[in-house]
Amino acid sequence: MVYARSWRKLIICILITLKVNGLYVQITYIKSSVAKGAVCLDGSPPAYHLDKGFGSGINNWLVHIEGGGWCTNVTTCLFRKNTHLGSSKKMVTEIAFSGILSNNKQFNPDFYNWNRIKVRYCDGASFTGDLEKVDPVTNLHYRGARIWLAVIEDLLKKGMKNAEYALLSGCSAGGLASILHCDSFHALLSIGTKVKCLADAGYFVNLKEISGREHIKSYFNDVVTTHGSVKNLPTYCTSTMKPSMCFFPQYIVHGIRTPLFLLNAAYDSWQIRNILVPGVADPHGYWLSCKLDIKNCSSIQLQTMQGFRMEFLSALLGQRSSSRGMFINSCYAHCQSEMQETWLQDDSPVLDNTPIAKAVGDWYYDRRSFQKIDCPYPCDKSCHNHVFGHN
């Protein structure tokens, strides 16, 4: 009994310490947006977490968009609406801020005292969908584009309209959203605001899976069609090719005017697992062990993954510009800005002896440009390669 009581006291002290240090941030629901139809898949209000800036960062704003894939049809969206990725009713009310969202100068030296926001993702189409009609049977709301505007308008009222510096960032599907909405984010802020964007693991490439089928092209087409996303994709792209192709960054980044930093692993673990070798392309599970841990890959599988890297770089390198930042390491990873161990700590990934946090900070503040691409796997010993469980 005494032992259990001591442990409870210790846990309470740890939780209090975490709260004092600002590591856990309370949720904010935008209830006023419901009347405008800016709602999650299930009709609940959108939400975000805001940790207010302080000191010299009080007028600086970092808006970070949560990731979480997409839903492609009624069936997958119905499943999604009963999770935190489709309903704010299912979201935890407090989340930990770390990495690029940390309030600790040691771990996030360039953005620690900014107003830091994590936008919760509950629409399933990287905030691009907008269909007015709601099927009364499913009660699915495809309103991602409205959510995006509702969040930004709410933040503008809370002081972002006076921003001196602003950065839009995101991870995975949120990283894609930061690309798709980069220029519109810039346009909604004051003329004098210094605005840039960061896409972490958001550069999804159009390539065939190992059996030769165009799985991801069909997948993104279903997303765009289901959510009615066409009108919210860049017109300079949709006017020249099939609109769903404009969900791929390689076909739109050339038209983005706002400075953009691309942070990505050349062996992006999500893309290897879902674009190069989706489950339907490997019915017998020959790739299962390899996809769980890159160290388990055979020489033939590694050769295939090296081919993926070359196609990824080919889709990337044609999009260089002087204002663009680039940190492309040779890790088996996905999303490296949110986790402290990959963003900035003693053993975090580096390129040119530079950790991700410093590369992004130097680029944002124009201290130096940063466009680095790693040598092929397994040359980089600083990687934190993902190891997945069988589930």
Side-chain angles (χ1 to χ4, degrees):
M1 178 68 74
V2 174
Y3 181 76
R5 191 181 300 118
S6 298
W7 267 109
R8 282 198 296 270
K9 288 182 178 179
L10 177 60
I11 291 170
I12 289 170
C13 288
I14 291 172
L15 290 173
I16 290 173
T17 301
L18 288 172
K19 287 180 180 290
V20 169
N21 288 336
L23 295 177
Y24 281 85
V25 181
Q26 190 72 26
I27 199 167
T28 297
Y29 301 101
I30 315 176
K31 295 180 180 179
S32 61
S33 72
V34 175
K36 303 175 185 177
V39 293
C40 300
L41 282 171
D42 71 334
S44 58
Y48 61 82
H49 301 256
L50 164 63
D51 193 24
K52 292 184 178 180
F54 56 93
S56 61
I58 199 166
N59 288 321
N60 302 336
W61 293 75
L62 190 158
V63 180
H64 184 80
I65 307 173
E66 181 181 28
W70 308 270
C71 60
T72 59
N73 52 41
V74 170
T75 301
T76 56
C77 290
L78 277 173
F79 176 82
R80 190 182 181 96
K81 85 166 189 174
N82 293 313
T83 73
H84 71 279
L85 291 170
S87 172
S88 60
K89 296 176 184 177
K90 303 291 184 179
M91 296 173 184
V92 294
T93 57
E94 286 185 325
I95 61 171
F97 272 23
S98 62
I100 196 172
L101 294 173
S102 172
N103 68 343
N104 189 317
K105 185 176 182 179
Q106 178 183 353
F107 299 124
N108 190 25
D110 285 305
F111 308 109
Y112 75 98
N113 62 351
W114 286 31
N115 295 282
R116 286 155 290 107
I117 299 96
K118 185 165 188 175
V119 180
R120 302 306 299 270
Y121 180 37
C122 66
D123 74 288
S126 293
F127 300 94
T128 60
D130 192 4
L131 290 180
E132 184 64 37
K133 186 177 180 180
V134 177
D135 186 335
V137 176
T138 63
N139 195 39
L140 283 170
H141 298 72
Y142 302 111
R143 303 284 179 74
R146 297 191 201 186
I147 293 175
W148 164 252
L149 285 176
V151 169
I152 298 303
E153 287 173 357
D154 202 58
L155 294 175
L156 289 170
K157 292 175 184 176
K158 291 186 175 179
M160 196 168 70
K161 65 179 183 296
N162 300 316
E164 296 175 7
Y165 296 91
L167 176 65
L168 177 66
S169 66
C171 154
S172 190
L176 174 58
S178 71
I179 294 173
L180 291 168
H181 293 290
C182 183
D183 280 340
S184 66
F185 178 70
H186 195 169
L188 290 166
L189 294 170
S190 300
I191 294 176
T193 306
K194 181 185 181 75
V195 183
K196 294 189 178 184
C197 304
L198 163 67
D200 177 9
Y203 204 89
F204 298 93
V205 292
N206 176 29
L207 53 78
K208 295 178 181 179
E209 36 104 315
I210 54 171
S211 66
R213 289 179 293 187
E214 296 180 317
H215 173 74
I216 191 62
K217 183 187 289 188
S218 174
Y219 183 92
F220 276 176
N221 181 68
D222 289 345
V223 173
V224 170
T225 302
T226 297
H227 291 262
S229 300
V230 173
K231 58 190 172 187
N232 294 306
L233 297 175
T235 55
Y236 60 80
C237 178
T238 58
S239 62
T240 60
M241 62 176 64
K242 187 176 181 179
S244 60
M245 299 299 287
C246 303
F247 219 62
F248 289 102
Q250 68 200 80
Y251 304 123
I252 62 173
V253 293
H254 70 276
I256 295 175
R257 299 181 300 277
T258 306
L260 172 67
F261 193 106
L262 298 171
L263 164 61
N264 228 104
Y267 305 88
D268 186 296
S269 57
W270 191 94
Q271 296 196 53
I272 296 291
R273 290 157 57 88
N274 295 280
I275 295 181
L276 181 65
V277 195
V280 293
D282 184 35
H284 301 293
Y286 297 132
W287 276 80
L288 179 59
S289 180
C290 172
K291 291 198 295 182
L292 294 176
D293 186 344
I294 194 171
K295 292 180 180 178
N296 297 334
C297 297
S298 68
S299 58
I300 295 176
Q301 289 170 329
L302 283 176
Q303 186 176 352
T304 301
M305 291 171 69
Q306 299 295 9
F308 171 87
R309 172 181 177 270
M310 294 306 297
E311 288 198 61
F312 178 87
L313 295 180
S314 176
L316 184 74
L317 292 178
Q319 314 297 343
R320 281 192 174 184
S321 74
S322 58
S323 68
R324 189 145 300 150
M326 200 177 292
F327 189 110
I328 311 297
N329 55 6
S330 288
C331 305
Y332 187 61
H334 184 70
C335 290
Q336 301 179 86
S337 64
E338 295 180 345
M339 303 295 291
Q340 197 59 58
E341 55 263 36
T342 47
W343 177 247
L344 181 63
Q345 65 179 27
D346 290 343
D347 65 342
S348 59
V350 294
L351 279 182
D352 193 28
N353 295 315
T354 306
I356 295 169
K358 181 166 175 52
V360 173
D362 285 349
W363 166 82
Y364 183 88
Y365 282 109
D366 300 317
R367 293 191 291 254
R368 68 162 175 153
S369 60
F370 197 94
Q371 293 187 347
K372 303 292 181 183
I373 296 175
D374 212 350
C375 48
Y377 176 88
C379 71
D380 191 339
K381 305 306 178 185
S382 71
C383 284
H384 288 230
N385 291 321
H386 284 179
V387 177
F388 298 89
H390 282 274
N391 293 329

